[in-house]
Amino acid sequence: MLTTVQKEILQSLINLYRQSKCTSVKCENIADLMGRNAGTIRNQMQSLRSLGLVQGVPGPRGGYKPTLEAYHTLNIENDPCEIMIPIKVNGVNISDISVNKIEFTSILRPGNCEATISVLGDIKQLDLNDIIQVGPTPVNNLTVIGRIIGRDDVDNVLLIRTESIQSIPNMKLKDVATKDVVTLTSNMNVLDILNTLHENKIKSAPVIDEGQIQGVVTYIDVLGCIKNSQIDSTAKDIMHIDITKAKESISLFNGITLIKQNEGSALLLVDSDDKLSGVVTSTDIIEKIVITT
């Protein structure tokens, strides 16, 4: 359940995103529109990102943009620009064209799968032998990579010889999570933590007090304490409080994006009451994608 402030921020983001013709929006712009402090907006954006409602865009021109889930949450009809399927040509984003339809025409030919792509926008800027990446598409997050081998400027259709077809399953993070999570308490000493990690053959564990996530302790943290003869240290002394949480109900695709943006390897999942419900690692996601595809 979103708070009143979160709803207002999300609505302001969507309004500014539309006004800017679907370019990312900075927290300062949202703060100006709402008459609030930019720092407050940034803090709330972290929560909205963990809910899968916004996506961060890196770089000097970066900021935030709403996801499809944001529109559904606020019961707003999608703008055409929100469902544009991105295209990259020779590694460069092409912002003024989008994909309308993908059809595979020769999937039974070994090593020679071809596809026709119906495009919205001017395709004359694309040349034969260009490497094109189409996607990810909504819902099934399909991405097709190949080489342009034909172009119909009248019907706005491209013919490509595919080199890679990828799809991320339409699943929730809770569907791939490890739910039997080994946890620590903040008053556990270094030796107790070491024994817990060793017995369970894990490299890290979250610290939980009264059902709330306080931080994470890693094997390396414990070994550092032992090396420095700090065996009286507790989990509270050595835990990392800058952790990445995510709602268990967000999609696998948004989970991948969240891990990438936070340069981490795992997500601590929480339920609707903000209680720990599981852990998802990048390995869990990769295994699910490989098995499914």
Side-chain angles (χ1 to χ4, degrees):
M1 181 69 69
L2 294 181
T3 66
T4 302
V5 173
Q6 287 174 329
K7 289 181 179 179
E8 187 180 357
I9 291 174
L10 201 56
Q11 183 67 67
S12 298
L13 172 63
I14 289 173
N15 292 341
L16 290 171
Y17 189 63
R18 284 174 164 171
Q19 292 173 14
S20 65
K21 297 182 179 179
C22 304
T23 59
S24 58
V25 179
K26 295 185 180 297
C27 289
E28 290 79 5
N29 299 126
I30 299 173
D32 289 342
L33 180 63
M34 295 177 57
R36 290 181 175 268
N37 183 276
T40 301
I41 305 299
R42 290 191 191 92
N43 291 335
Q44 290 294 334
M45 280 300 185
Q46 300 306 312
S47 298
L48 292 172
R49 194 165 67 173
S50 73
L51 292 169
L53 299 176
V54 302
Q55 182 177 347
V57 179
R61 295 184 179 180
Y64 291 92
K65 62 180 183 179
T67 64
L68 289 176
E69 284 86 349
Y71 287 83
H72 298 159
T73 299
L74 297 182
N75 295 316
I76 299 175
E77 185 176 349
N78 300 335
D79 244 348
C81 65
E82 310 312 328
I83 56 175
M84 284 187 68
I85 299 174
I87 290 180
K88 283 186 179 180
V89 176
N90 300 324
V92 178
N93 286 309
I94 307 298
S95 60
D96 55 349
I97 59 176
S98 178
V99 175
N100 183 44
K101 183 167 61 175
I102 303 174
E103 293 182 317
F104 295 99
T105 58
S106 61
I107 58 176
L108 297 181
R109 298 179 189 175
N112 191 28
C113 178
E114 294 178 355
T116 58
I117 300 177
S118 176
V119 179
L120 302 173
D122 182 13
I123 63 173
K124 294 180 180 179
Q125 57 188 298
L126 309 181
D127 296 319
L128 299 184
N129 291 317
D130 280 346
I131 299 298
I132 186 170
Q133 175 180 317
V134 177
T137 61
V139 183
N140 56 10
N141 298 303
L142 178 71
T143 299
V144 178
I145 301 174
R147 186 179 299 274
I148 300 175
I149 59 174
R151 192 184 78 190
D152 183 342
D153 294 342
V154 176
D155 292 327
N156 253 35
V157 173
L158 299 172
L159 176 63
I160 70 169
R161 178 172 291 118
T162 63
E163 298 177 356
S164 174
I165 301 174
Q166 307 161 0
S167 180
I168 299 175
N170 185 24
M171 305 174 69
K172 305 296 185 184
L173 285 182
K174 62 182 179 182
D175 297 327
V176 300
T178 299
K179 297 180 180 178
D180 186 16
V181 183
V182 176
T183 62
L184 311 170
T185 58
S186 61
N187 60 0
M188 290 179 67
N189 63 43
V190 168
L191 294 181
D192 288 338
I193 297 172
L194 179 62
N195 288 333
T196 300
L197 297 179
H198 178 70
E199 289 174 0
N200 291 278
K201 298 180 180 180
I202 55 178
K203 296 181 180 180
S204 64
V207 179
I208 308 293
D209 286 334
E210 298 181 355
Q212 297 298 317
I213 303 173
Q214 305 299 320
V216 172
V217 174
T218 70
Y219 209 94
I220 294 176
D221 299 327
V222 176
L223 293 181
C225 286
I226 295 174
K227 178 182 178 181
N228 296 321
S229 301
Q230 298 173 334
I231 58 175
D232 291 331
S233 298
T234 65
K236 183 178 181 179
D237 299 324
I238 63 175
M239 67 184 182
H240 300 271
I241 60 174
D242 186 16
I243 56 178
T244 304
K245 296 193 298 183
K247 288 293 184 181
E248 62 180 10
S249 58
I250 72 171
S251 68
L252 208 61
F253 179 78
N254 283 331
I256 294 172
T257 302
L258 199 55
I259 289 177
K260 181 179 179 181
Q261 290 178 340
N262 287 276
E263 299 180 347
S265 60
L267 295 172
L268 297 179
L269 303 189
V270 294
D271 58 21
S272 57
D273 296 321
D274 209 36
K275 304 288 187 181
L276 180 69
S277 63
V279 173
V280 170
T281 68
S282 52
T283 302
D284 295 329
I285 295 175
I286 290 171
E287 288 179 349
K288 178 56 65 174
I289 293 174
V290 171
I291 292 172
T292 305
T293 56

